[in-house]
Amino acid sequence: MTKSILIIGACGQIGTELTLALREKYGDVNVIASDIREGTDVLMKSGPFEILDATNYDALEDIVMHYEVEEVYLMAAMLSATAEKFPERAWTLNMNSLFNTLNLAKEKKIDKLFWPSSIAVFGSNTPKEQTPQHTLMEPSTVYGISKQTGERWCAYYHAKYGVDVRSVRFPGLISWKTQPGGGTTDYAVEIYVKALEKGSYSCFLKKGTKLPMMFMDDAIRAAIELMESDGAKLSIRSSYNLGAMSFAPEEIAESIQAVIPTFTISYNPDFRQAIADSWPSSIDDSQARKDWGWSPEFDLARTTAEMLENLR
Ligand code: AKB
């Protein structure tokens, strides 16, 4: 089945791989990449690309109309660490881009919307282990507040206007094709890069900081599987908890040492420690498993093998 899909924020860490995966599945010309800047060569050369600021509704609507877009994946966002430095810019980007796409769906200009939420919606009062789908949520970061608010708007637009919006709460994402930018979980990518470049890594989180993480292939599959699943079976229209693995910096270091025995890690926590401390350690994703068959494939050992092999 051919459909026209628009990716907003296509040049970022998730957007790049998502665009390539969707192009492979639905055909290069049917997947339109867009961002405020150009991306990697592979992305730019593999299909249509448009410069787009997702906070500009008219520009977004023009692209949607021009390409007769049916589905949108909104991946543009300012992540947790950067958002703490630019709170108002983060709020404007994260909220206005979501409103613009929700309104397009409300006006029936698109059929379906994917919007990622995050484990950042939880706060330090939330149960840390096996954090439930429905629980106390008092996020303490600008990014977390924008994601939690976004979740409520998604649920509202679905209930009130029948908008088909689907979402998952991504944990930290580990990938090698495109570097992450501005997140608290970015250390789990940097560590592999530095292990190969220098043989050592100075971690901005302290030993024992256990966070939920996921390899990018699982994250991309989750987004596409959720978008392709039967809408009638989806009981959550805010955002689904999504789990894969959980580890602390010393555990990822040990998994690297199994391949590079001389690798060393040191700890120099900065402001991102407080953000990480407010987030869960592990996630209960049983609702996603039940409703649309979610099941992760990558554990830490497999992730380390993939990262080291491909970054080399
Ligand atoms: C971040 O660290 O800000 C993101 C996230 C967990 O949403 N990777």
Side-chain angles (χ1 to χ4, degrees):
M1 192 187 63
T2 306
K3 53 186 166 193
S4 182
I5 301 173
L6 173 67
I7 321 289
I8 301 171
C11 301
Q13 189 199 13
I14 315 178
T16 301
E17 297 206 31
L18 181 63
T19 304
L20 298 176
L22 287 169
R23 283 185 173 159
E24 199 175 316
K25 199 170 168 79
Y26 292 108
D28 292 345
V29 293
N30 300 313
V31 179
I32 302 99
S34 72
D35 208 309
I36 48 165
R37 59 184 162 87
E38 294 195 350
T40 61
D41 264 10
V42 185
L43 181 104
M44 298 305 293
K45 288 183 182 147
S46 62
F49 177 83
E50 296 282 347
I51 291 286
L52 173 67
D53 170 0
T55 62
N56 180 338
Y57 182 83
D58 293 338
L60 171 61
E61 189 186 27
D62 280 352
I63 291 174
V64 163
M65 291 307 172
H66 177 75
Y67 289 96
E68 296 179 11
V69 170
E70 291 156 74
E71 292 184 9
V72 170
Y73 287 74
L74 171 56
M75 313 311 291
M78 197 183 285
L79 298 187
S80 56
T82 311
E84 289 307 292
K85 295 181 182 153
F86 308 105
E88 288 185 29
R89 266 170 56 192
W91 184 258
T92 304
L93 171 62
N94 295 0
M95 299 317 299
N96 290 3
S97 58
L98 177 59
F99 270 124
N100 285 347
T101 47
L102 283 172
N103 284 331
L104 277 176
K106 180 187 163 192
E107 289 159 18
K108 309 266 180 269
K109 289 177 178 148
I110 57 169
D111 297 336
K112 224 188 252 186
L113 170 63
F114 177 85
W115 171 79
S117 184
S118 161
I119 54 162
V121 293
F122 301 115
S124 44
N125 296 335
T126 303
K128 264 202 174 313
E129 291 293 344
Q130 287 302 303
T131 299
Q133 175 70 44
H134 300 287
T135 185
L136 188 61
M137 294 160 82
E138 292 181 346
S140 53
T141 62
V142 174
Y143 174 66
I145 297 168
S146 75
K147 289 295 182 187
Q148 191 197 26
T149 310
E151 286 192 9
R152 299 323 317 150
W153 279 114
C154 288
Y156 183 87
Y157 268 66
H158 176 72
K160 200 89 178 168
Y161 310 121
V163 165
D164 192 354
V165 55
R166 302 169 182 215
S167 176
V168 294
R169 292 171 179 154
F170 278 133
L173 297 180
I174 304 174
S175 67
W176 53 269
K177 281 190 191 151
T178 310
Q179 297 286 306
T184 302
T185 56
D186 294 6
Y187 93 85
V189 174
E190 280 175 19
I191 194 170
Y192 291 109
V193 176
K194 297 293 174 204
L196 290 169
E197 265 176 25
K198 291 174 55 187
S200 63
Y201 178 61
S202 166
C203 187
F204 59 75
L205 297 183
K206 65 184 187 209
K207 209 171 173 174
T209 313
K210 186 174 141 199
L211 289 169
M213 299 277 184
M214 181 177 285
F215 188 58
M216 187 59 85
D217 291 26
D218 272 341
I220 300 300
R221 195 168 48 76
I224 297 176
E225 281 179 10
L226 176 59
M227 283 295 266
E228 289 179 345
S229 62
D230 177 0
K233 294 200 173 130
L234 303 180
S235 61
I236 304 289
R237 292 298 186 145
S238 51
S239 191
Y240 279 97
N241 271 10
L242 201 66
M245 56 184 145
S246 286
F247 55 77
E250 65 273 21
E251 293 171 88
I252 191 168
E254 276 162 30
S255 84
I256 293 172
Q257 280 155 354
V259 185
I260 309 172
T262 51
F263 172 70
T264 56
I265 183 167
S266 55
Y267 301 93
N268 292 294
D270 64 16
F271 74 100
R272 289 168 282 192
Q273 184 64 48
I275 302 178
D277 286 343
S278 75
W279 289 352
S281 298
S282 61
I283 296 290
D284 173 359
D285 60 3
S286 47
Q287 198 66 48
R289 290 172 187 260
K290 181 168 167 265
D291 287 3
W292 47 279
W294 165 245
S295 177
E297 288 174 0
F298 287 79
D299 61 9
L300 179 55
R302 194 169 167 207
T303 299
T304 296
E306 287 282 326
M307 288 297 285
L308 293 178
E309 193 187 315
N310 286 294
L311 285 172
R312 255 188 196 122

